[in-house]
């Protein structure tokens, strides 16, 4: 048993050093290329409208606010300034979303974003995004990369196609630190010892972001109140949870396997699903020793089996907001296809670790 486990870990490490590292290097190169263009567009936006200041800064070889969706698809979160005169309200009526309401009607004129406040006192995510979209469209025509960058039409999101190879979504957002949303107040679960009080305090201090984007839980039936709402995102908090042990290595393996074998019609699976399942696996295996290097194979198998189960049930709950289903709106045939493909892959890895050389 131990020999089989060690053999699997050996092949997974080999796969990580060869396939995962080359994937990371390729993505880093793509990111540099993409960020050069996006920075230029945002500089042009800032000239027209100083309230939209580019926050795409590089720190420790990472670009702040950049999320990799796939090797050729990225999201850049543009942090906006000053949220001061608004109250954050998440009463659960819009799963995965919250609203920003003026704390006092008399303060309307004090807001930096006065013309985006609705008659009922909400700061409208849709109105800000609409204005931003217009500015980006103008900036694309003026920037020095105008020959290689195009706006993607027929979407209310701000999406750019760069060199006909990459897609980048630029999402205006507010960073919320020092508060924790009521809709995630159940976390951490009282009977689970992971991640421990110190890490919980760090994660909650990291806070969350409010993004101006279409909320997929609303599935197209948006009333005006809903389109004014902001989408909750916990990227930094989630990253902090995955520190220590082989957690990040496990996620890297899953992302590489997804890119190579689960890039399927209808896009049923993305990297965020993988990240979510690693967090759930951490709850199931709360001890640090469960994430030692020699447990890598067990953890990976556990996550692949959980993924198959989620695909078969057609439900993958968001880690911090479990009432939100990350498979909402995905075609059933795509989920079934992904379940079969994942099962084939998991069986292959489990029964013959050497097969990783071909995966």
């Amino acid at each position: 048993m131990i020999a089989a486990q060690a053999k699997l870990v050996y092949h997974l490490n080999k796969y990580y050093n060869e396939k995962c590292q080359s994937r990371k290097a390729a993505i880093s190169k793509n990111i540099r290329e993409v960020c050069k263009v996006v920075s230029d567009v945002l500089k042009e936006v800032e000239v027209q409208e100083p309230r939209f200041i580019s926050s795409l800064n590089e720190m420790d070889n990472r670009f702040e606010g950049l999320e990799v969706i796939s090797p050729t698809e990225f999201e850049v979160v543009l942090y906006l300034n000053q949220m001061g005169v608004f109250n954050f309200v998440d009463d659960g009526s819009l799963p995965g979303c919250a609203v920003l309401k003026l704390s006092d009607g008399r303060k309307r004129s004090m807001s930096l974003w006065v013309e985006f406040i609705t008659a009922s006192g909400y700061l409208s995510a849709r109105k800000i995004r609409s204005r931003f979209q217009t500015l980006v469209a103008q900036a694309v025509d003026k920037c020095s990369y105008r020959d290689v960058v195009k706006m993607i039409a027929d979407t209310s999101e701000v999406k750019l196609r760069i060199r006909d190879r990459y897609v980048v979504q630029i999402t205006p957002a507010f960073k919320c630190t020092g508060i924790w949303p009521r809709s995630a107040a159940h976390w951490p679960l009282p009977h689970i010892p992971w991640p421990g009080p110190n890490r919980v305090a760090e994660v909650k201090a990291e806070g969350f972001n409010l993004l101006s984007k279409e909320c997929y839980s609303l599935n197209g039936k948006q009333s005006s109140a809903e389109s004014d709402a902001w989408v909750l995102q916990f990227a930094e908090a989630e990253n902090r949870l995955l520190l220590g042990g082989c957690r990040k290595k496990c996620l890297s393996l899953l992302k590489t396997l997804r890119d190579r074998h689960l890039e399927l019609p209808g896009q049923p699976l993305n990297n965020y699903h993988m990240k979510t399942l690693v967090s759930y696996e951490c709850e199931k295996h709360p001890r640090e020793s469960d994430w030692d290097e020699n447990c890598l194979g067990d953890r990976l198998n556990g996550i692949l089996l959980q993924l198959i189960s989620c695909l078969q049930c057609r439900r993958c709950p968001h880690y911090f907001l479990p009432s939100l289903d990350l498979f909402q709106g995905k075609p059933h045939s795509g989920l079934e296809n992904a379940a079969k493909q994942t099962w084939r892959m998991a069986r292959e890895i489990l029964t013959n670790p050497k097969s990783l050389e071909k995966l």
Side-chain angles (χ1 to χ4, degrees), residues 17 26 47 56 66-67 87 105 152 159 203 227 236 240 243 246 265 275 340:
N17 291 329
V47 170
L56 186 62
L66 183 126
E67 289 287 311
N87 287 334
I152 295 177
K159 284 191 174 182
V203 165
S227 62
E236 297 305 324
R240 197 165 273 275
L243 296 174
C246 64
K275 192 181 192 184
K340 286 178 188 151

Side-chain angles (χ1 to χ4, degrees), residues 27 48 103 108 186 219 221 251 261 263 315 328:
I27 289 176
Q48 300 171 63
S103 54
R108 181 180 288 263
H186 65 281
N219 231 2
K221 50 181 191 298
L251 178 57
H261 303 283
E263 184 63 71
R315 183 168 161 71
Q328 174 123 16

